[in-house]
Amino acid sequence: MLSFFKKRKITIAIDGHSSCGKSTLARDLARKLKYVYIDSGAMYRAVTLYFIWHKIDIHNPDEIKKALESISIDFRYKRRKNLCYLNGELVEDDIRNAEVSDLVSDVAAISQVRKKLVALQQQYGSAKGIVMDGRDIGTVVFPNAELKIFVTADLEIRTHRRFQELKIRGMEMSFDEVKQNLIKRDHIDSTREDSPLCQAEDAIVLDNSHLSTKEQLNAVLKLTKLHI
Ligand code: DC
């Protein structure tokens, strides 16, 4: 089966709401295909973390411009994972904390921020052989991606998954707080002016509410086979 996938490298764009399993799917898929995996949400989170650390006023375009000039984000493959670095510092855990999760949608709505990150994401994808997940990957970052998947899942199920994930990380949040955070982020992400979350016309919808991670991976591998 793998030799089949060696035939032609393509670009795979995976979009969808918060905590619907996009990253797990994208990472599993990249591993299977031996492609590069980029979590574009991590990039928005890294910028948010920098803004928090440096007390950047997110309503001040001049401050944002200066801050963006001082930010460098990269990924390094370690421990079988593509880990996010901010100005050379490993920030994989910090970018998942509650403070970042609370502010990141507001930061991701800033056009100056999007402009910088989209350019970087397009550079990563220039050689193809990439799986990227986010909110605007199939619509803005890679509108010509050969395969676009729009992942969705029931809100209760997404809340449950996120709640479990945070518990494992030792972060204390009630089920309802997690749910309200997802609702808030989905609302901001879908209604912002610049590149709102929406399904690309040529995206295939995958509802994984009742699929295991293995089942969703197999479903997308079948689709990938059709596009290579
Ligand atoms: O996937 P995530 O929850 O880690 O993403 C964090 C935030 O970044 C989320 O609120 C939406 C935003 N985001 C975005 O606007 N565009 C992307 N391509 C990826 C994430």
Side-chain angles (χ1 to χ4, degrees):
M1 182 134 165
L2 265 181
S3 61
F4 177 86
F5 289 119
K6 280 186 189 149
K7 271 190 184 169
R8 175 171 88 105
K9 286 205 181 290
I10 63 168
T11 300
I12 303 178
I14 300 184
D15 289 301
H17 292 103
S18 295
S19 295
C20 65
K22 300 180 303 288
S23 299
T24 305
L25 171 63
R27 195 184 51 235
D28 290 351
L29 195 58
R31 262 187 206 150
K32 199 81 183 171
L33 302 175
K34 297 199 169 20
Y35 277 19
V36 171
Y37 163 54
I38 299 290
D39 171 359
S40 70
M43 300 168 74
Y44 288 95
R45 286 173 178 273
V47 170
T48 305
L49 184 66
Y50 183 95
F51 283 7
I52 292 171
W53 278 350
H54 295 267
K55 298 190 170 35
I56 304 300
D57 175 1
I58 65 165
H59 303 291
N60 182 332
D62 291 334
E63 263 189 47
I64 293 170
K65 182 172 180 276
K66 236 172 123 190
L68 288 174
E69 284 165 2
S70 312
I71 292 177
S72 129
I73 296 169
D74 67 298
F75 290 90
R76 299 181 200 168
Y77 194 76
K78 284 185 186 164
R79 294 181 251 140
R80 296 191 74 224
K81 280 187 176 172
N82 222 7
L83 304 175
C84 184
Y85 284 73
L86 169 63
N87 292 342
E89 184 176 342
L90 176 64
V91 290
E92 193 60 37
D93 286 334
D94 295 306
I95 60 172
R96 316 278 165 198
N97 73 29
E99 201 183 351
V100 171
S101 295
D102 220 40
L103 188 66
V104 63
S105 288
D106 293 312
V107 170
I110 301 170
S111 293
Q112 289 162 285
V113 173
R114 302 204 70 82
K115 202 170 164 207
K116 173 170 172 129
L117 296 190
V118 168
L120 201 54
Q121 290 153 8
Q122 289 173 336
Q123 266 177 35
Y124 284 136
S126 60
K128 292 195 172 271
I130 186 166
V131 186
M132 191 177 291
D133 76 305
R135 305 295 190 288
D136 60 340
I137 310 304
T139 50
V140 176
V141 181
F142 300 130
N144 299 321
E146 287 84 352
L147 179 60
K148 300 179 187 177
I149 309 283
F150 191 85
V151 188
T152 160
D154 179 84
L155 176 65
E156 290 296 318
I157 292 174
R158 289 196 281 132
T159 307
H160 183 74
R161 288 175 183 162
R162 181 83 183 131
F163 181 69
Q164 292 301 335
E165 193 187 313
L166 290 175
K167 220 165 129 183
I168 290 168
R169 287 174 184 267
M171 294 176 192
E172 288 205 5
M173 250 174 126
S174 72
F175 189 85
D176 201 54
E177 280 171 334
V178 174
K179 188 171 173 179
Q180 292 313 318
N181 177 260
L182 288 189
I183 293 173
K184 179 184 141 195
R185 281 168 54 201
D186 286 348
H187 177 73
I188 299 175
D189 295 342
S190 316
T191 55
R192 67 178 176 226
E193 258 177 50
D194 191 342
S195 329
L197 164 67
C198 65
Q199 188 190 321
E201 268 179 27
D202 49 350
I204 296 163
V205 178
L206 175 79
D207 184 337
N208 68 12
S209 300
H210 304 290
L211 295 181
S212 67
T213 51
K214 198 170 170 193
E215 285 167 334
Q216 74 166 359
L217 173 64
N218 285 338
V220 178
L221 279 173
K222 274 189 198 150
L223 291 171
T224 307
K225 207 168 159 183
L226 298 175
H227 285 82
I228 287 184

